[in-house]
Amino acid sequence: MTNQKQAMLYGLATVLLWSTVATAFKLSLRELSPVQMLVIACAASVIVMATILVVQGRWHLVFSLSRKQYLQSMGLGLINPCLYYFVLFGAFDRLPAQEAQPLNYTWALVLAYMSVPFLGQRLRRLDIVAGLICYAGVVVIATRGDVLSLTFSDPVGVGLAIGSTLIWASYWIIATRDTRDPVVGLFLNFLCGLPVIAVICAVTDGFDIVPGTAVAAAVYVGVFEMGIAFVLWSYAMKKAENTSRVSNLIFISPFLSLVFISLILGEVILPSTYIGLVLIVAGLWVQQRKVRERVSQVESA
């Protein structure tokens, strides 16, 4: 099997996992509060990433960092998982999965915009066009098709969903200066963030948690969305001979996610969700086009 085929398989596996997490979020949040779900998911993620590092023979790297890098883990851990997932789960707690999930996909566009002032990158005309298309889709979804009224279905939920994209984009901008092994860095971020999440859970909603479907869904999120999916995507990028082809697989995820949301959660997918999602994906495709062209030129050189 060629490296490109392996990369595509890793990429498809990652997309499949990403497509299920919106459903898992809602299943867990039916019985758990966002912070209860987060403490379970984060603990599961720490365990699975530690296991991955041991199996891969890279556990020793956890203890070979500088003092500055350990402090960096504490700071980044407050952003991801603490702040990011608390806000994201809050959005899913208030909104139907079919609304919260597409809104969260706009983070890639937010990253492009935030890279202008913070990373000194240029704002291209395509970025502006992509933004108009994407956020037209956001308005369609958030108003459930009643665009002219501009009355959001749940203003707080929509605000949390959009806020999560700002936090996630900020995290990746800060992480551009992170020189640690990616899995080691993520493991330490989650390890440092877990005690903070546990304390917040203890003083707010408590640990009166009954084992069942909700807990299983939270563990699933921690193992697969926060852990294994990250490692699989890293493998896909390393194996890829044409990274743009693998990256394009991401656009399958939101549509496949709607299938799981409909079949498992029983949500009736509104026409406005389809229209808005098509606009968001189209905007992201436009925004990524020049990047893909540049990568393809480098890889074919």
Side-chain angles (χ1 to χ4, degrees):
M1 186 179 295
T2 65
N3 284 342
Q4 184 63 29
K5 286 184 178 179
Q6 291 181 47
M8 295 296 285
L9 288 175
Y10 283 129
L12 284 170
T14 308
V15 166
L16 179 61
L17 292 179
W18 281 339
S19 301
T20 62
V21 293
T23 300
F25 288 169
K26 292 299 287 188
L27 287 175
S28 186
L29 289 168
R30 285 176 176 176
E31 299 176 25
L32 301 176
S33 70
V35 70
Q36 287 174 327
M37 178 186 170
L38 180 54
V39 74
I40 295 170
C42 186
S45 180
V46 167
I47 293 170
V48 75
M49 283 190 285
T51 303
I52 289 169
L53 289 171
V54 170
V55 170
Q56 293 181 338
R58 293 192 290 164
W59 179 248
H60 66 281
L61 297 177
V62 174
F63 307 98
S64 62
L65 302 179
S66 66
R67 181 180 178 183
K68 182 179 179 181
Q69 287 174 314
Y70 288 119
L71 291 174
Q72 182 183 33
S73 299
M74 297 174 65
L76 288 175
L78 292 176
I79 302 174
N80 176 39
C82 294
L83 184 59
Y84 170 65
Y85 279 107
F86 184 73
V87 172
L88 180 63
F89 292 167
F92 272 88
D93 194 35
R94 300 184 67 98
L95 296 172
Q98 64 177 291
E99 296 180 17
Q101 182 257 5
L103 298 183
N104 181 248
Y105 267 87
T106 61
W107 75 265
L109 184 68
V110 174
L111 178 60
Y113 286 156
M114 292 182 67
S115 296
V116 175
F118 293 109
L119 298 180
Q121 297 183 5
R122 289 179 54 198
L123 184 65
R124 303 165 302 161
R125 187 178 302 170
L126 273 181
D127 294 322
I128 298 173
V129 173
L132 292 174
I133 298 172
C134 266
Y135 287 110
V138 169
V139 172
V140 170
I141 292 173
T143 61
R144 297 182 180 175
D146 192 7
V147 177
L148 296 179
S149 72
L150 281 182
T151 302
F152 292 164
S153 57
D154 186 323
V156 175
V158 172
L160 289 171
I162 298 299
S164 72
T165 66
L166 293 170
I167 296 167
W168 192 238
S170 300
Y171 171 78
W172 282 110
I173 286 175
I174 296 171
T176 56
R177 297 177 176 84
D178 189 354
T179 57
R180 300 172 298 172
D181 174 278
V183 180
V184 171
L186 197 65
F187 166 73
L188 289 173
N189 294 351
F190 275 63
L191 184 65
C192 292
L194 181 57
V196 177
I197 297 166
V199 169
I200 295 173
C201 185
V203 300
T204 54
D205 298 321
F207 293 99
D208 186 17
I209 299 171
V210 180
T213 301
V215 172
V219 171
Y220 178 91
V221 169
V223 171
F224 293 102
E225 201 273 344
M226 296 178 174
I228 292 177
F230 177 85
V231 176
L232 287 176
W233 189 251
S234 298
Y235 283 163
M237 290 294 100
K238 288 179 181 177
K239 291 279 187 180
E241 296 166 359
N242 185 327
T243 55
S244 62
R245 286 177 59 193
V246 178
S247 298
N248 285 340
L249 295 174
I250 294 174
F251 297 117
I252 301 173
S253 182
F255 295 100
L256 187 56
S257 183
L258 289 183
V259 176
F260 291 116
I261 290 168
S262 176
L263 293 178
I264 298 175
L265 298 179
E267 288 188 16
V268 178
I269 308 300
L270 302 174
S272 57
T273 299
Y274 288 115
I275 296 170
L277 183 54
V278 167
L279 287 170
I280 289 172
V281 170
L284 293 176
W285 183 85
V286 169
Q287 188 263 331
Q288 290 293 319
R289 199 176 74 176
K290 283 293 184 184
V291 176
R292 291 194 301 269
E293 288 176 358
R294 192 180 305 119
V295 170
S296 297
Q297 289 171 1
V298 171
E299 290 174 337
S300 61

